[in-house]
Amino acid sequence: MAQQQLNVALIGYKFMGKAHSQAWRTVGRFFDLDAEPVMKAVCGRDAAAVAEFAQRWGWETSSPDWREVVNRKDVDVVDISTPGYTHDEIAIAAAAAGKHVFCEKPLCFTVAQAKEMLAAVRKAGVKHMVNFNYRRVPAVALAKQMIDSGAIGQIRHARFTYLQDWLVDPQFPMNWRMRADAAGSGAHGDLGAHSIDLARYLVGEIGEVVGMQKTFITERPSEGTSSGLTATAGEGVEKVTVDDASIFMAKFTGGALGTFEATRMAPGRKNYNRFELNGSKGSLVWCFEDLNYLDYYSTEDPEDRRGFRRIIATEGVHPYAGAWWPPGHMMGYDHTFSNAAADLVQCIANDKSCAPCFQDGAQCVAVLEAVDKSIDGGKWAKVEMIE
Ligand code: SOE
């Protein structure tokens, strides 16, 4: 086991808090890391509930006060797993206290906020990473390696869809994900942000966009109780203040054309995060609902044997997979968080930059914001490039 310890404090203990907790619990067992993460503290507003969470998941301490946790001398890394509206304040305070910062997506809601966050981590000289976890699926990381080695040539078409159906029922009650002040936007920032990040990772920068959005169900039963993506209704109704669906076209600076579709109203699609990339020499297709497979077509295969082949990205030669189970023993959602935690620990322990960092998070926000501008202005909008 590594000599150096890295004390982690987690802010937020709901859906993402669980995903991050399981990552911190397992990562040091499966990966050979240069520092050993220690689950020092977890923070949430309800003191009793967060204390129970700490006990269940093995966090050493718990607190209802994020400022106290962020300023603790024995904390090295602050992991922010709270809703988006809290990210900027916590991240900036954590950086000012000299802590490395790991932040859930979307980084924040506006380019102005993103620039402040980026300036804060740069000024403090701390490591910073945004949890775009789908980059950490072995098949996706393999796609990146293949693209970089020229397997599909020059990318011409980039098609990204992220479809879910948990809001299709008009009786599904309100929760924070449907309130603009808490979530920033709906499917656009929640799901579209993932697609934009994958697009930037795999294809390159997006220069111009034009979009459209719709809120199909504008009022829902008030929130009673909610947990993750399930909820029970309370009294009365509440106005939905975010989009249910967001669609846009994009021009990549490298010449590719892109289409993006994000919705939480596609019956039957549960977590259908998919891309199809068509290049001058081949195509790559991946979908989270079958996350271990990468479909690859090559124009360089013998003419009589061409067709999509399914690569099962679970072998030791594939990114991340070798740290886990024997070949063919599949990966799931939780592994993406552990893989991200492993990368973060290695970057901190070896003084290397993390990816995706806050600049990547900020560039994603710039694309989201440009789509909004294009809708307001009724025409194509340029994406601001964040230095
Ligand atoms: C809900 O739509 C959600 O949990 C998102 O918030 C996550 O970012 C996505 O990975 C899965 O769906």
Side-chain angles (χ1 to χ4, degrees), residues 61-76:
T61 60
S62 68
S63 167
D65 179 357
W66 68 261
R67 287 178 202 282
E68 178 257 318
V69 170
V70 155
N71 285 296
R72 267 173 67 159
K73 287 205 165 50
D74 59 352
V75 164
D76 303 308

Side-chain angles (χ1 to χ4, degrees), residues 73-131:
K73 287 205 165 50
D74 59 352
V75 164
D76 303 308
V77 181
V78 172
D79 176 352
I80 306 170
S81 299
T82 46
Y85 75 97
T86 62
H87 291 179
D88 59 335
E89 198 182 2
I90 302 174
I92 290 169
K99 316 300 183 192
H100 306 294
V101 192
F102 184 39
C103 187
E104 258 307 321
K105 51 55 65 174
L107 182 63
C108 53
F109 299 161
T110 66
V111 169
Q113 283 174 332
K115 284 181 178 169
E116 279 182 34
M117 293 170 80
L118 188 54
V121 288
R122 281 180 177 161
K123 182 172 170 213
V126 294
K127 304 292 175 205
H128 43 101
M129 191 163 119
V130 183
N131 189 34

